[in-house]
């Protein structure tokens, strides 16, 4: 069971979600939502109440992956999203009231007995409300261009005290149909989820609670292709972060690559479907639009290599599909993100790095940072490997030369004897910072000189980045450290994943496993939060995040494999 106050109720493929609106409703009431319009809109469609003799009842919520149950002393109601656009509800002893969250032009119209259409213009969606057992009482007085209110009471049959109804989304013309009984629809969803759960990566038994939560979050956060979304897309959350971002999707793809490779490939390629002619990838995408004001770091080469290591799914045809897009993405950074033409690419804003407010940006931008060059060194190396697999020998050699040349420039430019630094582009002024982002070059592993690797590892272990719970993104004794400071302190899943991988690449297996254990223990206890307090392990921001779930599962699999190896 999960806490509906933190974890939304939804299902694979659906834009329909049930959760409280903490920002506007202090009562903690539950709302049926439409999450199609991005994270600027909570998407409330109907408020949910249990009723008896016309009065609202207090209730407790019980959330399981396939069903949401609301329990009152007088009775209960159950909700199941049996299809992506179909919400089925049944109750015993109580009725269910749906109160429309309405705006201009919203209206309800009678279709036939116990069947009403609600046109929710604010959410650009229509809803067919049908009572299968019991009846609908609709209160929707129309005045001028809209209904003043829309309140639908679904009331149980007097004899049995039972009610069943269906709410179905549609956009233009409703296609009359019959619906399976609630119990049948619920059984279908249970089987679908069980199959997903069986394909979820293995984790040690001590993290069973975390695995159950991570499995549900990743399953329930997938939406179907629609509008700008060309493939099934795993949203970051169905709480508030209702988009996909252009590095978040990589971690979700990695968690799917072993057991669900087709869906993993869709997660990886969906941003390349939207790629600009210049080579740039949008910052985020939802069904309505792409945002081009920012982008995210080029971890795609690193991701692709880790994906093809999982199985044989990424064939030569798949590599042919991604080769030119990956070239364009790489060249965009090298061509358009180097304003002083020194051969070192730059971030024009913290958002482009993924570390939005990291202290490397506290004196302004553009900033040349060693993590960016590290990603591109790996990405060009991967392009060389792809070119070789495609029989493009000359291109393979050229990409390898470019990769090695950037590695040399990067070390010369950023290494200051004891540490990597970030610099202002143009002036090359060193930015004083205690950010963990300066240790991301560990992902280069043994491509770096031994003395550099040792000092990076020592910096992580001896300076204080590694707390009881994992890797803080800013040194806890830094004057800029904030417990809930986004990238100025909290522990994050993607940075944990990148640095764990870097430690493994550097031969620091025991330290990598320690980091993985700390993270998995914290996430299993505190939930799949967007980030965590580095000193207490408390979950912060959005409590139901998919990339956290994905990294938990990937690191859990690593620990499982280690346990089997030692066993």
């Amino acid at each position: 069971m999960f806490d509906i106050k933190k974890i939304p109720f939804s299902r694979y493929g659906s834009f329909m979600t049930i959760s409280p609106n903490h920002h506007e409703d202090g009562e903690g009431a539950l709302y049926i939502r439409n999450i199609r319009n991005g994270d600027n809109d909570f998407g409330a469609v109907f408020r949910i109440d249990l009723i008896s003799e016309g009065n609202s009842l207090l209730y407790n919520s019980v959330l399981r992956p396939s069903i949401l149950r609301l329990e009152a002393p007088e009775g209960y109601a159950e909700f199941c999203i049996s299809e992506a656009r179909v919400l089925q509800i049944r109750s015993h002893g109580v009725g269910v009231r749906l109160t429309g969250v309405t705006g201009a032009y919203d209206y309800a119209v009678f279709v036939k007995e116990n069947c009403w259409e609600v046109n929710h213009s604010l959410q650009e969606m229509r809803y067919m409300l049908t009572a299968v057992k019991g009846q609908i009482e609709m209160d929707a007085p129309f005045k001028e261009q809209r209904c003043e209110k829309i309140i639908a009471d679904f009331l149980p049959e007097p004899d049995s005290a039972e009610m069943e109804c269906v709410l179905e989304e549609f956009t233009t013309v409703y296609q009359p149909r019959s619906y399976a009984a609630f119990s049948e629809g619920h059984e279908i969803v249970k089987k679908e989820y069980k199959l997903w759960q069986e394909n979820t990566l293995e984790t040690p038994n001590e993290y069973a609670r975390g695995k159950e939560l991570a499995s549900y979050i990743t399953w329930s956060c997938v939406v179907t292709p629609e509008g700008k979304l060309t493939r099934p897309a795993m949203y970051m959350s169905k709480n508030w972060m209702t988009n996909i971002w252009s590095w978040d999707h990589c971690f979700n793809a990695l968690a799917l690559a072993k057991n669900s490779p087709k869906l993993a490939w869709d997660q990886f390629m969906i941003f390349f479907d939207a790629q600009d002619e210049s080579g740039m990838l949008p910052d985020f995408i939802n069904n309505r639009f792409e945002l081009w004001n920012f982008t995210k770091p080029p971890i795609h080469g690193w991701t692709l290599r880790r994906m093809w290591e999982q199985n044989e799914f990424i064939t030569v045809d798949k590599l042919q599909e991604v080769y030119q897009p990956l070239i364009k993405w790489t060249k965009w950074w090298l061509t358009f993100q180097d304003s002083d033409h020194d051969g070192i690419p730059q971030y024009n804003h913290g958002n482009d790095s993924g570390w939005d407010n990291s202290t490397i940006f506290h004196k302004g931008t553009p900033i040349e940072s060693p993590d960016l060059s590290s990603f591109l060194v790996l990405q060009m190396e991967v392009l060389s490997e792809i070119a070789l697999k495609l029989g493009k020998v000359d291109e393979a050699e050229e990409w390898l030369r470019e990769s090695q040349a950037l590695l040399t420039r990067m070390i010369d430019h950023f290494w200051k004897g004891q540490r990597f630094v970030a610099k202002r582009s143009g002036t090359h002024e060193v930015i004083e910072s205690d950010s963990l982002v300066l240790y991301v070059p560990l992902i280069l592993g043994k491509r770096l000189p031994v003395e550099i690797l040792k000092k990076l590892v020592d910096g992580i272990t001896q300076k204080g980045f590694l707390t009881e719970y994992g890797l803080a993104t800013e040194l806890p004794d830094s004057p800029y450290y904030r417990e809930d400071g986004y990238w100025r302190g909290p522990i994050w899943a993607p940075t944990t994943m990148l640095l764990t991988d870097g430690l493994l690449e550097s031969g620091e297996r025991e330290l990598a496993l320690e980091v993985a254990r700390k993270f998995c223990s914290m996430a299993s206890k505190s939930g799949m939060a967007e980030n965590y307090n580095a000193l207490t392990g408390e979950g912060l921001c959005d409590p139901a995040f998919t990339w956290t779930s994905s990294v938990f599962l990937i690191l859990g699999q690593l620990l499982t494999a280690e346990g089997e190896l030692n066993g």
Side-chain angles (χ1 to χ4, degrees):
M1 295 188 297
F2 308 124
D3 184 356
I4 189 69
K5 295 176 183 177
K6 298 178 180 179
I7 312 300
F9 177 64
S10 191
R11 64 152 293 157
Y12 184 100
S14 185
F15 287 91
M16 201 182 306
T17 299
I18 297 176
S19 71
N21 185 356
H22 297 295
H23 296 302
E24 296 182 5
D25 190 333
E27 301 176 21
L30 296 180
Y31 290 84
I32 298 171
R33 301 165 54 205
N34 169 28
I35 61 166
R36 283 178 172 81
N37 299 322
D39 59 3
N40 291 324
D41 182 8
F42 180 72
V45 179
F46 294 103
R47 173 180 163 135
I48 301 171
D49 287 287
L50 301 191
I51 56 173
S52 178
E53 297 180 352
N55 298 313
S56 296
L57 307 173
L58 295 176
Y59 58 81
N60 294 315
S61 304
V62 180
L63 170 58
R64 292 185 171 86
S66 59
I67 197 168
L68 172 65
R69 182 180 171 103
L70 308 183
E71 299 176 340
E74 294 84 351
Y76 66 85
E78 293 176 319
F79 299 74
C80 176
I81 305 175
S82 54
E83 302 172 24
R85 287 174 169 254
V86 175
L87 172 66
Q88 295 189 247
I89 308 171
R90 71 177 174 188
S91 70
H92 182 83
V94 297
V96 174
R97 173 173 291 164
L98 300 184
T99 302
V101 182
T102 59
Y105 311 123
D106 294 351
Y107 67 85
V109 61
F110 177 78
V111 177
K112 61 180 182 179
E113 184 178 2
N114 283 326
C115 189
W116 286 74
E117 176 186 330
V118 174
N119 189 327
H120 203 298
S121 64
L122 188 64
Q123 290 301 322
E124 301 176 4
M125 189 61 57
R126 299 170 188 259
Y127 297 87
M128 188 61 68
L129 278 53
T130 305
V132 178
K133 183 183 291 186
Q135 64 180 21
I136 301 175
E137 287 189 359
M138 181 68 77
D139 183 8
F142 192 91
K143 184 177 181 180
E144 295 183 357
Q145 293 179 296
R146 56 168 290 190
C147 286
E148 293 180 312
K149 58 183 175 179
I150 299 176
I151 302 174
D153 287 352
F154 294 89
L155 304 176
E157 294 178 333
D159 295 339
S160 66
E162 293 180 349
M163 184 276 293
E164 282 195 27
C165 66
V166 178
L167 181 151
E168 181 172 356
E169 297 178 330
F170 68 104
T171 51
T172 55
V173 177
Y174 174 74
Q175 301 298 327
R177 54 169 293 187
S178 60
Y179 299 97
F182 183 98
S183 56
E184 295 174 23
H186 179 219
E187 195 61 34
I188 291 170
V189 180
K190 283 174 63 177
K191 289 179 180 177
E192 287 183 22
Y193 178 67
K194 183 180 179 184
L195 183 60
W196 177 276
Q197 196 173 33
E198 289 171 351
N199 281 327
T200 301
L201 295 174
E202 288 299 316
T203 63
N205 290 335
E206 63 194 283
Y207 307 135
R209 171 63 178 166
K211 179 183 175 180
E212 184 181 7
L213 180 57
S215 176
Y216 172 68
I217 289 173
T218 51
W219 174 75
S220 64
C221 281
V222 177
V223 297
T224 53
E226 185 176 310
K228 295 288 187 180
L229 299 172
T230 54
R231 304 169 189 248
M234 186 181 289
Y235 271 15
M236 291 310 103
S237 172
K238 285 186 176 176
N239 269 324
W240 310 294
M241 306 290 278
T242 50
N243 304 305
I244 49 174
W245 276 263
S246 58
W247 72 322
D248 309 42
H249 72 118
C250 290
F251 299 98
N252 291 339
L254 275 178
L256 296 167
K258 182 179 180 182
N259 295 334
S260 301
K262 184 180 184 304
L263 184 59
W265 186 249
D266 285 336
Q267 301 318 294
F268 184 74
M269 288 301 297
I270 193 167
F271 274 88
F272 290 106
D273 292 348
Q275 188 173 31
D276 184 67
E277 186 58 35
S278 67
M280 183 183 180
L281 298 182
D283 186 42
F284 69 74
I285 307 173
N286 56 51
N287 67 295
R288 289 288 302 275
F289 61 90
E290 304 138 349
L291 182 75
W292 294 98
N293 297 85
F294 308 103
T295 188
K296 288 292 178 278
I299 66 169
H300 301 77
W302 170 81
T303 303
L304 185 58
R305 176 185 276 149
R306 292 290 175 257
M307 288 175 67
W308 77 47
E309 291 171 349
Q310 301 299 312
N311 48 46
E312 302 300 317
F313 181 81
I314 300 181
T315 60
V316 170
D317 287 344
K318 292 283 190 297
L319 295 177
Q320 185 71 58
E321 181 183 353
V322 76
Y323 183 53
Q324 288 301 325
L326 196 61
I327 287 174
K328 290 171 65 177
W329 178 223
T330 305
K331 287 185 175 180
W332 182 82
W333 285 98
L334 299 173
T335 303
F336 300 109
Q337 299 299 109
D338 183 14
S339 58
D340 61 1
H341 307 293
D342 63 352
I344 299 293
Q346 69 197 36
Y347 292 127
N348 286 337
H349 192 278
N351 289 359
D352 295 336
S353 74
W355 298 60
D356 307 1
N357 65 332
S358 166
T359 50
I360 66 171
F361 302 106
H362 73 108
K363 287 193 174 182
T365 59
I367 291 295
E368 297 169 350
S369 181
D371 65 307
L372 175 54
S373 290
S374 300
F375 295 141
L376 290 168
V377 166
L378 292 180
Q379 192 148 293
M380 288 190 284
E381 190 177 281
V382 168
L383 282 169
S384 175
E385 294 176 34
I386 297 173
L388 200 59
K389 293 174 186 285
L390 298 178
K392 302 176 184 291
V393 177
D394 291 345
E395 292 183 31
E397 292 174 353
E398 181 61 24
W399 280 118
L400 189 57
R401 281 195 297 271
E402 289 284 341
S403 174
Q404 292 168 345
L406 180 56
L407 175 60
T408 300
R409 292 198 302 275
M410 179 198 123
I411 294 172
D412 290 345
H413 191 71
F414 293 113
W415 185 251
K416 294 305 172 187
Q418 300 297 320
R419 63 194 176 108
F420 281 114
V421 297
K423 296 182 176 183
R424 289 289 293 270
S425 180
T427 66
H428 292 167
E429 170 195 358
V430 171
I431 305 300
E432 294 300 327
S433 170
D434 290 315
S435 175
L436 185 68
V437 73
L438 299 174
Y439 291 81
V440 170
L442 269 170
I443 62 170
L444 294 170
K446 295 179 180 178
R447 298 169 187 81
L448 293 173
V450 173
E451 62 272 17
I452 291 181
L453 273 183
K454 183 178 186 307
K455 288 176 179 176
L456 288 175
V457 173
D458 288 348
I460 284 177
T461 56
Q462 296 174 16
K463 278 196 167 187
F465 283 108
L466 187 57
T467 74
E468 180 183 349
Y469 301 97
L471 291 168
T473 46
E474 179 83 8
L475 272 182
D477 61 3
S478 161
Y480 297 103
Y481 177 85
R482 301 290 183 270
E483 289 186 350
D484 190 4
Y486 229 53
W487 295 94
R488 295 192 176 196
I491 295 167
W492 286 77
T495 54
T496 300
M497 180 71 245
L498 289 166
L499 285 162
T500 301
D501 188 75
L503 290 168
L504 291 171
E505 283 287 291
S506 305
E508 298 287 339
R509 188 168 188 82
E510 287 307 313
L511 182 55
L513 294 173
E514 180 184 353
V515 172
R517 279 191 290 269
K518 286 174 180 286
F519 183 84
C520 288
S521 295
M522 175 183 64
S524 194
K525 178 181 179 182
S526 299
M528 302 299 148
E530 185 178 354
N531 53 72
Y532 302 87
N533 185 315
L535 301 182
T536 68
E538 173 195 1
L540 302 171
C541 303
D542 194 320
F545 228 60
T546 56
W547 74 355
T548 305
S549 302
S550 292
V551 169
F552 168 83
L553 293 169
I554 297 165
L555 296 181
Q557 182 194 33
L558 170 66
L559 294 170
T560 300
E562 182 68 15
E564 291 172 352
L565 184 65
N566 291 338

